[in-house]
Amino acid sequence: MTQDPNIDSKIGNDAQILWRIVMLCMRYPGRVIIAVGATIIASLFQLAVPQLIGSAVDGALGLIEDNNTVGYSANMALFKTAALLLGVSILRGLFTLIHNYTGEAVGHMMAYDLRLSFYNKLQNLSFSFHDKVHTGELITRGMLDLEGVRMFVSTGLVRLVLLTVLIGVGSYLLLSTDLLLGALSLSFVPFVAYRSAVARLKLRSLWLALQERMSIIGRIMDENLTGIRVVRAFGAENYELEKYKTAADAAKELADQRIKTRVSSTTIMTFAYFIAMGLVLWFGGLRVLEGQLTVGDLTEFLAFMTILQLPVRQLGLLVNSFARASSTGRRLFAVLDMKPNISDKKGAKPLKITNAHVAYKNVSFQYNEKDQLPALHNISFELRKGCSLGIVGPPGSGKSTIAHLLTRFYDVTEGKITIDGQDLRDVTLDTLRRHVLTVPQDPFLFTTSLENNIAYGDPWAKDEQITDAAFIAKIDNFIFGLPESYKTLVGERGVSLSGGQKQRISIARTIMLNPSVMILDDSTAAIDAATEQEIRQLLKTPMQTCATIFISHRLSTLLHSDEIIFIDNGRIVERGTHESLIAENGRYAELHKLQNLSTKNSEHIATKTKEVKL
Amino acid sequence: MNRRSDKHSNQKRNRRPPRAYVGSQSSQEEDMFGALFDGGVVGRFMTYVYPYRKNIWIALVAVLIVTAAQLLIPLIIRHGIDNVILAEDGNATDLFLVILFFALVITINYFANLVQDRLIGITGEHVIFDLRRAMYCHLQSVSLSFMDKTETGRLMSRLTGDVNSLQEFLENSVTAFGDLVLLFGIVVIMLTLDFGLGILTLSAVPTLFLVRMFWLPRARVAFRLARETNSSANGALAEGIRAVQTVQSMRRETVNHDLYDDKVRDNLYAHLKSARMAQVMVPIVDTLTGAAMGIVILLGGMQVINGTLDVGVMVAFLFYVQRFFDPIRSLTIQYSVMQRAMASGKRIFEVLDVPLAINYDPNAINPETIQGSVEFREVTFSYIENQPVLDKVSFTVSPGETIALVGKTGSGKTSITSLLNRFYEVDDGTILIDGIDVRNYSKQSLGRNIAMVLQDPFLFTGTIFDNIRYRTTNATQKDIEKAAQLVGAHNFISQLPNGYNTLLEEQGRNLSLGQRQLLSFARALVADAKILVLDEATANIDSHTEREIQLALKRLLHGRTGIVIAHRLATIRGADRIIVLNNGKVIENGSHSDLIAKKGLYESLYALNHSSFDDLY
């Protein structure tokens, strides 16, 4: 939301969103019909209870007054009423079970459908989308917003039917029995309905505001704990406590306000209900005294009121549920309706690799149309199997962007990229990404075993494939040293890996797939120089069969490349081999001096450091 | 729902491969089956409620009044029917009196209700805020070794999740008290009105308890499974979002889709089962209510016919029965809330019980400024017993001097700086600042006189200004800008659209690492301490930014005692003296030229001509 409010705006108005949810439920028409039918039947049985109570009271009383056939038949009548009441209660219970369960079931089935499509959508949406929308924001949409839509089925739709029948039919029955008493016993309904709806909406906005303030507290605590060393180092405990107190006081104020709002509305609603009850008792009592009404009728009215009390209070929940469903539905559907802007074009062919001949021809790229400066400007280079290209440049110069274009995480704005003569936009994404692989700077490891992590790209891989890849990435010794070897879990409950170890797993993951084009995007930054050199040696064999691009700010990583390009502000400012660039005495040579490296030394690091055991 | 799957089964490969999972493979077990009541937890919790005892007492009285009013209403109706409406001499005036009394009762009920709910709600809220604050406060002073061991996420879940479940418990427990009183009241009144009929009507209740006892353990398993599959599916979703780059570049979309499908399907079935479990009690309770009412109608009615029971009593009974099952229902829900609260309480007090490893002397000295000399005298220190990280380390630093600590990872460099600030207590030996043991300084004075720049330039959410100023709240805009200029951060800050008022996102993600490091230098400069400790983090900084950082360092150290953990040769050479550490021991100590002349370890490292000693291992 915060990143791009526009993505939510095109989904239509509230009514359209709610209608869309209803339509999603209608994928299960049988269950919906059962739920609605059972709801109606259950509420009718519910409405029968007061009448039975009333007639029971009258039955017991009327027989005293008549004072004749005391005995068998009177008891028989009572027995009938009692049995009927039991029967009605059982049936009401059964139908309530059916409608509650089916309502929930439809909600959960719809949620299942939505979960799957949401997950799928996110896996396929292009990078430009994931750049814009915050991870936490997406998780919220997939969890909380989806839950809001699901709840709408049972708390919104089914309850709407229930309340309509109960209040509608109930009112009809009461009013047709006695207009005045009926009106009196229903007098609390409009008031309570109104109050509860208003209060719910107000509570909702208070709740959202409170959540906001609570999340500030959460953030303060989280930052304090994560940055505890800074806090301690500066002796800033009091400052931190003060910061916390300010935030907590602000939240407490809203929390109090929320409770006050809630309490004042619930208590006034109960009060209104009891006032109506008092009025019924009063006027009903007068009628009975005048002989116009039986005690049974009066009891029936009072019993009706007991039944209506709860549903009427729930009107507020109903309003709340509609409000929540339309806002959460909007946020959810906004994502579901998104179209990935990178996908196979019609008639896309599989990528065929012969020489792994990569060519960038006058490539320019802009992340955003609004951006004034292009991220890449007029980039051209060529590369083929067995050769390597080094890309160096200051942070933010566009190095990684070059890599992202080759795997088509973004499409070029101008110019074109071809592999063996085939434009990337004309081949299928699946084959492209099967052949072109990047080892990212900050790899993502999954909370599964190490072997599954290495085999991420080919989960059918054989054990040897995995161990071979691990050997090349120089991580096999480390893995063998672990108690469960390749089966060791990664993460909190397993082994925690250093940045360099993660990068090595990531290299193994890529090597295992035998890519035709491999991009190492600063993927050895956290690996010490000596190990890096060893990996370089081991990579020599796989590099013979693929085109390799090295992106790094550490010159030792790329100085052996067949060509090196120096990028600044999205443009190539220098290009050539290491020797020619040094001779040119420009930016590259300056950087080289700064890094204080000589070719000779870096070659010997691996061997020499072993001699000097610290 | 089995729309899919068959269509694809003929594919050449099984789409659910052997090595693929989505979401975490390790399940997070919930310790839900703890004790129902833990005296220790409740007792300690009560100490937080104690300051609000007046409110609690008032609330309890209000609860009693509300419950009494609830119980009175059917009795008033009963009185109205038997003694006025059906009485021989019943008239409108008597009825009016009854109504007047009814009005009085509901008005009292209204106010008592208002007092009860408000006091309970607000008190509960405040107790929880106090508790959270106490935990937060405590964590500010617990030993760093505890914080090192404990993941932030785990602490956060105690500070939020566990605290919230206690709040739920607190709010519920007062209503539960009301429910209990109501239940008890109904039983007493029914038995007083008509003992025989009361006993018979209540005979339905034990059945409910029996059924509940049978149902509860099964239901809880089902509910738990639903919760677990939920969090497992959500975990997989979160993973899918975070790892989207890997997923897309490794083409795992289809495989993951199928695996996720399995997860959400499990989730669906678990929820359907738990919904069945939840709903199965409805007809049972309804049947029992119907049975109880049937008993009242049949037996009560017969008594009315016989003239042994007033019809008003029968009506009152019917009303009571209708209300009777509600408190039982909510009390059984209370059961699991209570169990959860006990487990949460235990975890909360665990945090509050973490010992403060460092006890500050109440008579500690608190000097405004110091000279800045530092001495380590035979300092031995270990994180784990018998595995000393520092072994009899001795050295001195004169005021204004800069020393560089050199050595491989784990040689004890960072421990030296941590001990100086008394993050930990030494096992043996003494650390002196201006010739006085650090243990004799107050915590504030150590924080004030030693500034640190750490490896991770941690920044807080807020403006750049706030971050540079940090706890030196009396620093002016001018001071801040001057500091930023000195460390070379002013240029990039003033190029930002909002300058010093630029808001930093999550830990300054909108700045580069080098820029963040410069801000942390400025922060240390503003704190203006005599001793400056730099756990230099140039390893993560690209060469382009490094020159600026070196320049900033020089300015920062001017006129201060500096202890620098150095990686880059440039920094090391710039130090007045170099101390080489190995396995927790000082093995060389002298100026760059001294050490080169000595031809020891430092010289051999230097000869290798590395840009950084980090590369060695």
Side-chain angles (χ1 to χ4, degrees), chain B residues 120-142:
Chain B
I120 292 167
I122 290 177
T123 307
E125 199 83 58
H126 288 203
V127 167
I128 292 309
F129 270 96
D130 289 354
L131 190 60
R132 194 184 284 125
R133 194 183 134 80
M135 286 169 79
Y136 180 75
C137 241
H138 188 74
L139 287 175
Q140 300 307 306
S141 319
V142 302

Side-chain angles (χ1 to χ4, degrees), chain A residues 198-209 319-321 323-325 327-328:
Chain A
V198 170
R200 272 295 150 189
L201 291 178
K202 197 171 163 198
L203 281 173
R204 204 180 126 75
S205 66
L206 270 175
W207 186 81
L208 290 174
V319 173
N320 187 39
S321 162
R324 188 168 170 217
S327 67
T328 55

